[in-house]
Amino acid sequence: MTGPGRSRIDALDVLRGFALCEILLANIQLIAGGTSAVAVQPMGDWDPWLGLPIFSLLFGIGFALLLDSATSRAPRPRLVLLRRLVALLAIGLVHALLWRGEILTSYAVVGLLVLLPSTWLPRWAMAGLAGVLIPAALAFGMGGPLLIAGLFLLGAALVRYGVIDRIERSTRVPLLLGLLFAAATASARWVQSGAQPSFAAGLADLLLVGVYVCALLVLLRTPLRPALRAVFAPLGKMALTNYLTATLLVLAAVHLLGVPIGRSLTVAYLTAGAILAAQWLFAILWLRRYRQGPVEWLWRWATWLHRSPLRIVTN
């Protein structure tokens, strides 16, 4: 989401595409089995479930960027945000008919209850509330909606404090933050066997997400930037379309082709890789001719009540 005069932030697309890959790896066997309970972590014990925290943070960032855009374009900007969330809820409810573990309905409900009202708060209150909700979610084992709410607010606060506008201008800051997160992660892992193992484990996972995010931001300031953009940005630009179609493709592989995704982790990962490769190729070809993914375009239409041009006009 970008406002007038604001260019698209490549780092956000890369992070979104990276998280999308991890989400499919984490969810593919759950989708195949029609369940929502956590099964096997894709990257073993050191998997911090990257998808949910990164996507939640990015959703809060995108929401705040949309508010900036709506404030300059609409007489009632919060009505634009309300339509955005209601449309997402509708999309999520339809998606839930295919897989009950989907996250869009939770995002929409938490957005309506927490994120939208928070737009009336000063930025320090928004950051402070995030600083309360995230530790509370970890301490009381209430992960889910409470953690999502805290990460939503943290993402929005980062926009309000101007951090996102400067996200691609520095190497030193994400490098130092990444080292700090890594040291804190190691400490939390060490404490895991103590009196509050669940809190320490949840904190370690969240801190490790910070390490991954900072590492990607640092790598985007190196010669690897073109490769990272080429691999992850197309997926990230069409994240909603890809998230929804992944469910359809997994179910088709199981029920139409008989692929044993639920019985073999190797088959599940190979199938996930094939789906991501197909989605990446489709995104590359689609974005050559169109400005947004198909579902993103429909979501934008519902948000603004105006059908924006989809096809890229070339002279």
Side-chain angles (χ1 to χ4, degrees), residues 41 43-48 189 205:
Q41 290 170 289
M43 292 180 283
D45 293 337
W46 279 84
D47 182 357
R189 293 289 187 195
D205 281 351

Side-chain angles (χ1 to χ4, degrees), residues 46-270:
W46 279 84
D47 182 357
W49 296 104
L50 297 171
L52 177 65
I54 295 178
F55 253 40
S56 300
L57 189 69
L58 291 172
F59 190 89
I61 290 170
F63 195 83
L65 293 175
L66 178 61
L67 177 59
D68 289 346
S69 177
T71 299
S72 64
R73 296 173 57 185
R76 301 176 66 185
R78 288 177 178 83
L79 185 58
V80 175
L81 302 180
L82 176 61
R83 290 197 297 263
R84 184 80 163 173
L85 292 170
V86 170
L88 183 66
L89 179 60
I91 295 171
L93 289 173
V94 173
H95 188 219
L97 297 175
L98 298 174
W99 178 46
R100 65 180 181 176
E102 72 93 34
I103 198 66
L104 301 180
T105 50
S106 296
Y107 272 30
V109 171
V110 173
L112 289 167
L113 295 178
V114 177
L115 200 50
L116 184 58
S118 75
T119 60
W120 279 280
L121 295 176
R123 61 184 186 178
W124 62 265
M126 186 180 289
L129 189 56
V132 170
L133 290 177
I134 294 172
L138 298 177
F140 297 106
M142 296 173 66
L146 198 62
L147 182 60
I148 289 171
L151 291 169
F152 277 5
L153 292 171
L154 176 59
L158 291 175
V159 175
R160 298 275 291 273
Y161 277 100
V163 174
I164 301 305
D165 283 334
R166 301 190 298 271
I167 195 172
E168 296 201 79
R169 300 179 191 171
S170 173
T171 304
R172 182 183 303 175
V173 172
L175 178 60
L176 292 177
L177 276 177
L179 292 173
L180 179 63
F181 286 144
T185 301
S187 299
R189 293 289 187 195
W190 182 75
V191 173
Q192 260 184 253
S193 58
Q196 290 182 294
S198 61
F199 176 83
L203 179 61
D205 281 351
L206 206 55
L207 289 168
L208 192 54
V209 171
V211 174
Y212 280 100
V213 169
C214 289
L216 274 173
L217 293 177
V218 170
L219 290 174
L220 283 170
R221 300 282 294 175
T222 71
L224 289 175
R225 179 185 180 90
L228 291 171
R229 286 185 61 194
V231 172
F232 295 117
L235 293 170
K237 289 177 180 178
M238 293 176 49
L240 182 57
T241 295
N242 289 329
Y243 175 72
L244 297 172
T245 55
T247 300
L248 292 172
L249 292 171
V250 171
L251 293 177
V254 172
H255 298 293
L256 297 181
L257 302 179
V259 180
I261 293 174
R263 299 194 299 271
S264 169
L265 199 58
T266 300
V267 171
Y269 287 174
L270 289 174

